[in-house]
Amino acid sequence: MATYTTEIASDKLVSDNPIHQRLLKAYIAAKPWIKGDLLEIGCGEGRGVETLLPLANSYVGIDKIGEVISDLRQRFPGVDFRQAVIPPFEGFGDESFDTIVSFQVIEHIQDDRLFLQEIYRMLKPGGKAVISTPNNTHTLSRNPWHIREYVPQELIDLAGSIFDRVEAKGIGGNEKVWSYHEANRKSVQKIMRFDVLDLQHRLPAWILRMPYEILNRMNRNKLHQQQGDSVVQITHEDYPLVENASEGLDLFYVLWKKEK
């Protein structure tokens, strides 16, 4: 039986539904930009594979976890899934892909500049990358699984120093979503009031991961108990794509490589 961390967020756990739907929305929002040969960096358990496959001529999915790659190969025979720890992207040639997508990955990458440089290298002229990552403006506590999080301008500046054009958007929320987010914020604040020494920012990430997992799972279950069906009823349609990145719970950027 699979064990799901709160960082992964499962479509099989009811209390994870708001996060699952928010992550799924990135794939649906990316559909207008998908074409040709497609690479997904960080495909995970394949949340968006069925959404993206019909839109591409070819699909390559990579992830660092070998178990999920083995499972995806069984579920999608004939599709090219590879286990890899990146960056760099060894075995991937220059100008190999028309489109590259990477959702909720860059915040885990130590060398984020190299990560984006490698994406640029692998894109064909005229190609584009679509990435998402949490908007740190709306983060409720330190996530010890993340190397860093960005406010909108930070990622615009970084991506703009590498790509020829940056289109900065966000994954926002309707009233139902922001109501859940506000309840989550209040619940997290109740937990954080015990951290009088601000240990969440002082301790090494590896020490914080276990208590973070326990408290985060307890918090999601508590919100489900308090809000009942409203947690289950949130769908990807409740997360609109917004033109102002600062309004997004997640940053959603389209990064362009110019034609030769």
Side-chain angles (χ1 to χ4, degrees), residues 11 17 34 49 52 67-68 77 93 103-104 118 131 160 232 238:
D11 60 350
N17 182 62
I34 304 298
V49 174
L52 301 182
E67 291 179 11
V68 301
F103 301 133
Q104 307 296 319
E118 283 282 82
I131 67 172
V232 183
D238 295 310

Side-chain angles (χ1 to χ4, degrees), residues 66-240:
E67 291 179 11
V68 301
I69 292 298
S70 298
D71 179 65
L72 286 169
R73 286 171 177 164
Q74 293 181 0
R75 288 170 52 200
F76 301 96
V79 178
D80 188 356
F81 292 104
R82 309 182 194 180
Q83 191 274 334
V85 177
I86 50 86
F89 291 78
E90 297 179 359
F92 292 91
D94 297 352
E95 301 181 359
S96 299
F97 299 99
D98 298 285
T99 316
I100 296 175
V101 298
S102 186
F103 301 133
Q104 307 296 319
V105 173
I106 191 172
E107 65 272 16
H108 298 272
I109 303 298
Q110 185 69 50
D111 194 340
D112 52 352
R113 174 170 291 277
L114 177 60
F115 178 75
L116 291 178
Q117 287 172 335
E118 283 282 82
I119 290 176
Y120 187 90
R121 175 185 67 80
M122 293 186 293
L123 280 175
K124 298 176 183 178
K128 62 195 76 66
V130 187
I131 67 172
S132 74
T133 188
N135 179 358
N136 195 39
T137 307
H138 300 299
T139 294
L140 302 178
S141 67
R142 178 189 177 189
N143 185 328
W145 298 100
H146 295 174
I147 302 296
R148 83 199 62 75
E149 293 183 1
Y150 307 87
V151 295
Q153 193 60 47
E154 286 176 325
L155 191 54
I156 290 171
D157 292 342
L158 175 61
S161 69
I162 298 166
F163 288 84
D164 301 297
R165 177 183 165 199
V166 175
E167 196 172 346
K169 301 177 184 292
I171 302 292
N174 62 12
E175 185 175 343
K176 189 191 305 183
V177 165
W178 284 109
S179 175
Y180 175 85
H181 186 73
E182 178 62 16
N184 194 9
R185 184 186 66 79
K186 290 179 179 178
S187 185
V188 169
Q189 283 184 337
K190 288 181 180 179
I191 296 171
M192 289 298 104
R193 75 179 188 269
F194 296 106
D195 186 16
V196 293
L197 299 178
D198 194 29
L199 295 179
Q200 66 162 320
H201 294 112
R202 295 185 178 190
L203 291 177
W206 66 270
I207 292 178
L208 293 169
R209 285 172 182 167
M210 182 61 73
Y212 176 87
E213 282 298 314
I214 294 170
L215 293 170
N216 205 8
R217 178 60 64 201
M218 289 173 57
N219 188 49
R220 288 187 189 177
N221 290 337
K222 176 184 174 183
L223 289 170
H224 178 215
Q225 293 171 358
Q226 289 178 341
Q227 301 204 356
D229 289 343
S230 63
V231 170
V232 183
Q233 291 168 357
I234 290 176
T235 75
H236 67 83
E237 294 180 349
D238 295 310
Y239 294 93

